[in-house]
Amino acid sequence: MNHPTTTSASAADTGVQLTDGFHLMVDALKFNGVQTIYGVAGLPVTDLARIAQASGIRYVGFRHEASAGNAAAAAGFLTKQPGICLTASAPGFLNGLPSLAAATVNCFPMIQIAGSSERHLVDLQRGEYEELDQLAAARPFAKAAYRIDRAQDIGLGVVRAVRTAVSGRPGGVYLDIPGEVLGETIDAVAAARTVWRVTDPAPRQLPAPEAVDRAIELLAQAERPLIVLGKGAAYAQADEQIRAFVESSGIPYLPMSMAKGLLPDDHPQSVAAARSLALARADVVMLVGARLNWLLGHGEAPQWSPDAKFIQADISPTELDSNQPIAAPLVGDIGSVLSALADRAKPGQIAAPAAWRVELDARRERNAESLRKRLAENPSPMGFYNALRAVRDVLSGRPDVYLVNEGANTLDIARNVIDMKVPRHRLDTATWDVMGIGQGYAIAAAVETGSPVVAIQGDSAFGFSGMEIETICRYRLPVTIVVLNNGGIYRGDGVNPASADPAPTVLDPTARHDLVIEAFGGTGYHVTNPAQLAEALRNAVASGEPSLIDCVLDRSEGAESGHFGSLNPRPLANAVPIQAPRR
Ligand code: ADP
Ligand code: TZD
Ligand code: MG
């Protein structure tokens, strides 16, 4: 077996070579391919971060653990390796937990490593420093939670966390390491035997031939077939198989937001611009790494045809039948499933009938025309459409740019307006629609790829992780933040009928987010029209330096809850006030 050499200290009096839990942890991580750790230092992991850095692992220090965790999750999505988030005990640990939970929901592989306080004190609730039963707290929010109780188990704990994070359906793993285990000394020769590199942590999973044939039969009979590509398809890095299957079948496809770019958005088979019609009329739907969750209306009528038959390609067997009957389950990894379909289908057996494509093309053209009209309008102050037109025009010449996107209207409209040309270049609020991912995702994209990043954020969304612009500046990352500033959550013109306090959705409409980044040595731009915005964005991206563009938008621009107004429960307009009950 292949063992690493541990960093060792010699005990001069005995001649025994010693190492400790800190060094062993770093050795085990390095040996398993970890190159970057995202974290916030503090008891008892500060020296772990130092030793990792000294060993050549890149350590990126954040201002808040949620952003470090979001960065680790995004790194996991981009690389198919577990992203590592390092946090201190109790409060630091808890701050990181929402991102671990979101990573699990999004099926992104990450490992949150947290130091913890002395177990014999914590377990008897004796009031230890940062006392918390972290292992129990993490369990409901993670794919798995493990604790390392002895230095000799560090190698095992790391390997177990790595395999759990990336195998099957990827997700977030919690790895607890008490401070006393980090500080435990251990014979270096014996320690070297406790560390190993995991072999093939996410093995290919081939679908059964009969399952493949069943899916081919269904597709071959379809009159109006549709492929839905989800972020699981993007994660799978099976780009060539996906393109070949879509193009050789001629079947129209709908990309979910983070699957945009698997095929370029201007592809003739993309029906993103005819989404409602495609969903309502499709008779056979093939889900490829996409769940029939709320984002797809749970597969229910009237959004979908009640007679639609579903094929689902997914690595997780229990995902199937979670919302609708799955007529043809294809359990396996996307690359293996699509290769099997290509191998077993007879030439020409799967093809999209021309009438269906003509029907969709007509709707697509009609919708594209109304979007063109909307984009051509030029209101002042700016609205979402003319602002995002400027962004789109600049980015269309920069397919290498990673796009991060959060907010409500800012998210929904940017997703429709900005085309993606390359796979895995769009990162957004994903399955939970969680605000605050912006800076963490942007930092990870820049660190992992070295490419320029543009983060388009609503003014509310920006605030959730706004302080991380200091992190972006400290590491001089090529990140440009575009704040679409309409002065509020959804819009900035909310009225408080009862007092002088701002309404619940109102933020400061005069806020100058551009000045904030200047405090940390970045470049700020303040723009009020599309021409200024385009110029600022072009300069900012070309500079490769931390930049923030505050775009002043009309405060009355934006729909409540963006495109998800239907999920917003509405109060009764004429509800009768209840009198205080008498005793
Ligand atoms: P979207 O939000 O884009 O529709 P979802 O997150 O709902 O996508 O769905 C992603 C699905 O992809 C999950 O059900 C997950 O199990 C699956 N998945 C993740 N990785 C792979 C893979 N390598 N092969 C097959 N399926 C995968
Ligand atoms: N908190 C978290 C963590 N996630 C959330 N999704 C919300 C709160 C609720 N929420 C949304 O769903 S969107 C949004 C919030 C607070 C912000 C919308 O305002 P914005 O975008 O300025 O970011 P627009 O462009 O004004 O719509
Ligand atoms: Mg806003």
Side-chain angles (χ1 to χ4, degrees):
M1 196 163 33
N2 208 355
H3 292 296
T5 48
T6 56
T7 315
S8 56
S10 70
D13 44 344
T14 61
V16 175
Q17 299 284 302
L18 291 178
T19 187
D20 62 15
F22 288 108
H23 289 88
L24 207 47
M25 184 69 146
V26 168
D27 289 335
L29 291 171
K30 270 194 89 165
F31 206 53
N32 281 283
V34 171
Q35 295 173 4
T36 308
I37 293 177
Y38 302 92
V40 178
L43 275 170
V45 298
T46 311
D47 277 323
L48 191 61
R50 285 200 185 101
I51 293 164
Q53 189 173 56
S55 83
I57 289 179
R58 186 165 196 200
Y59 178 79
V60 182
F62 283 70
R63 307 303 295 259
H64 191 284
E65 292 83 354
S67 292
N70 287 325
F77 170 72
L78 291 171
T79 66
K80 279 183 113 173
Q81 312 286 325
I84 309 291
C85 169
L86 180 67
T87 70
S89 43
F93 154 79
L94 284 172
N95 277 348
L97 213 45
S99 54
L100 187 73
T104 305
V105 168
N106 286 336
C107 316
F108 297 165
M110 75 169 272
I111 301 170
Q112 180 180 348
I113 301 173
S116 56
S117 300
E118 293 242 3
R119 286 213 41 213
H120 66 275
L121 298 171
V122 171
D123 288 352
L124 282 170
Q125 299 189 14
R126 294 179 57 193
E128 172 58 330
Y129 171 79
E130 297 194 344
E131 179 178 287
L132 182 72
D133 183 357
Q134 297 174 193
L135 186 66
R139 194 152 270 144
F141 301 105
K143 183 176 174 186
Y146 305 121
R147 177 162 53 216
I148 298 168
D149 286 314
R150 310 179 300 178
Q152 71 203 68
D153 295 333
I154 286 174
L156 170 63
V158 167
V159 162
R160 205 146 158 62
V162 168
R163 187 178 284 284
T164 304
V166 296
S167 61
R169 170 182 278 179
V173 175
Y174 175 60
L175 189 58
D176 191 285
I177 180 132
E180 57 194 331
V181 179
L182 287 170
E184 193 183 326
T185 52
I186 174 170
D187 179 306
V189 177
R193 277 198 292 274
T194 67
V195 172
W196 73 93
R197 181 184 294 130
V198 56
T199 301
D200 195 9
R204 287 193 305 140
Q205 290 188 34
L206 278 62
E210 62 273 19
V212 177
D213 292 345
R214 193 187 291 124
I216 292 171
E217 275 303 299
L218 207 51
L219 282 170
Q221 291 159 13
E223 284 172 23
R224 296 178 304 279
L226 175 70
I227 294 171
V228 178
L229 300 175
K231 60 180 172 293
Y235 173 80
Q237 299 193 11
D239 308 343
E240 277 319 306
Q241 288 103 311
I242 290 170
R243 178 189 274 275
F245 183 75
V246 170
E247 291 187 340
S248 69
S249 68
I251 298 175
Y253 75 93
L254 175 75
M256 301 300 286
S257 69
M258 285 179 62
K260 278 162 66 79
L262 274 174
L263 294 105
D265 274 334
D266 60 3
H267 195 282
Q269 286 168 255
S270 168
V271 291
R275 187 181 195 273
S276 325
L277 182 71
L279 265 52
R281 295 264 300 142
D283 65 348
V284 174
V285 182
M286 178 166 158
L287 301 157
V288 181
R291 286 170 284 189
L292 270 183
N293 58 14
W294 69 283
L295 285 157
L296 285 171
H298 306 284
E300 283 167 4
Q303 230 177 308
W304 295 85
S305 158
D307 302 323
K309 291 199 164 51
F310 291 97
I311 301 167
Q312 185 160 26
D314 204 291
I315 197 114
S316 168
T318 54
E319 180 57 36
L320 311 181
D321 294 287
S322 59
N323 278 282
Q324 294 294 328
I326 301 301
L330 287 167
V331 176
D333 67 279
I334 299 304
S336 299
V337 168
L338 292 187
S339 300
L341 284 167
D343 288 349
R344 296 186 70 84
K346 299 183 193 79
Q349 193 181 4
I350 304 175
W356 173 227
R357 291 185 58 173
V358 169
E359 180 183 352
L360 289 166
D361 282 349
R363 175 67 67 90
R364 205 165 80 130
E365 197 32 57
R366 201 179 87 197
N367 290 348
E369 180 53 27
S370 51
L371 180 63
R372 271 194 293 276
K373 283 205 182 107
R374 231 105 196 216
L375 288 167
E377 289 165 7
N378 219 6
S380 172
M382 274 189 287
F384 284 101
Y385 283 90
N386 57 336
L388 287 166
R389 180 192 70 214
V391 175
R392 178 201 64 176
D393 290 348
V394 174
L395 295 186
S396 70
R398 295 297 305 254
D400 57 319
V401 164
Y402 280 80
L403 188 75
V404 175
N405 195 190
E406 63 173 335
N409 296 280
T410 300
L411 174 80
D412 295 336
I413 300 173
R415 184 180 53 228
N416 291 346
V417 169
I418 298 174
D419 279 354
M420 303 307 298
K421 297 192 169 75
V422 233
R424 289 173 298 284
H425 275 52
R426 186 187 153 86
L427 297 159
D428 66 29
T429 57
T431 303
W432 259 356
D433 195 25
V434 58
M435 299 301 122
I437 49 88
Q439 269 62 247
Y441 279 14
I443 290 167
V447 166
E448 298 291 331
T449 72
S451 299
V453 180
V454 171
I456 305 175
Q457 298 170 279
D459 53 323
S460 165
F462 167 77
F464 284 78
S465 62
M467 192 63 194
E468 302 299 346
I469 57 178
E470 188 276 326
T471 309
I472 292 169
C473 290
R474 187 160 22 97
Y475 289 87
R476 303 308 307 172
L477 297 174
V479 173
T480 302
I481 293 157
V482 178
V483 178
L484 295 188
N485 186 0
N486 63 351
I489 297 176
Y490 314 132
R491 53 199 284 162
D493 61 355
V495 174
N496 173 359
S499 80
D501 281 347
T505 51
V506 166
L507 301 171
D508 180 358
T510 65
R512 291 285 304 271
H513 302 91
D514 52 309
L515 299 181
V516 184
I517 199 167
E518 297 199 342
F520 305 115
T523 305
Y525 302 84
H526 186 242
V527 303
T528 57
N529 64 52
Q532 287 173 352
L533 170 52
E535 195 194 343
L537 184 58
R538 215 171 280 120
N539 291 340
V541 173
S543 77
E545 286 287 309
S547 315
L548 189 152
I549 307 172
D550 186 295
C551 310
V552 181
L553 258 51
D554 190 333
R555 290 169 67 183
S556 65
E557 271 277 324
E560 176 115 350
S561 308
H563 290 181
F564 296 111
S566 61
L567 297 179
N568 207 14
R570 294 290 171 171
L572 202 59
N574 53 353
V576 178
I578 299 294
Q579 304 299 320
R582 264 191 246 124
R583 295 232 185 169

